[in-house]
Amino acid sequence: MTEDLWSLLRSTYKVQRMGDDLRLSDAAGTTTPEQEREYRLHRATLAQRHLAAAAATGSDPEEARQDAELTASLLWKHDTLHGSHRGPLPATHPDWKASNLADYVRQEAEAAGLEPR
């Protein structure tokens, strides 16, 4: 297995743990918008990476594309609602459309120091 695939696997595990932590926090009623955003950002970034690696991992490219679009939209909606962007263009900027939300994810991932690939 290549280092890129190992990195993808490690990132997938990290996001799964973040999701588990978020569910526990939700059950306890302690979830913050920042915690939810952090999960949504990592999840959207991971979905972009899975889409880019769909052929190498044997994943269904259509499912990967749909997941990447959905998670990008969820991050963008969260940031629109909470004003929680970190990149140069806020989520409310008119340049962001449903057709380019992958670029929004990349902007936010880069601002957070994540691998947006």
Side-chain angles (χ1 to χ4, degrees):
M1 190 179 290
T2 68
E3 183 55 37
D4 284 344
L5 291 179
W6 277 116
S7 174
L8 185 61
L9 185 61
R10 285 189 297 273
S11 295
T12 300
Y13 177 70
K14 178 181 179 178
V15 169
Q16 287 172 335
R17 291 201 45 175
M18 289 176 81
D20 291 344
D21 291 345
L22 190 61
R23 279 186 285 285
L24 290 173
S25 181
D26 282 348
T30 59
T31 301
T32 65
E34 295 80 17
Q35 181 185 14
E36 187 175 349
R37 183 192 194 270
E38 190 72 11
Y39 170 74
R40 289 186 187 279
L41 174 60
H42 279 80
R43 179 67 182 84
T45 303
L46 179 64
Q48 296 294 323
R49 291 183 65 200
H50 273 282
L51 177 58
T57 62
S59 300
D60 180 350
E62 181 58 22
E63 284 183 22
R65 183 192 60 74
Q66 289 175 1
D67 186 49
E69 288 177 0
L70 174 63
T71 58
S73 177
L74 291 172
L75 172 65
W76 175 77
K77 286 176 183 177
H78 178 87
D79 284 355
T80 298
L81 180 64
H82 296 283
S84 52
H85 74 284
R86 293 183 188 156
L89 291 180
T92 55
H93 194 279
D95 282 356
W96 300 124
K97 311 270 188 270
S99 61
N100 70 347
L101 291 182
D103 294 334
Y104 182 75
V105 171
R106 277 190 284 285
Q107 170 191 278
E108 294 303 303
E110 288 171 3
L114 301 175
E115 291 182 63
R117 290 187 219 184

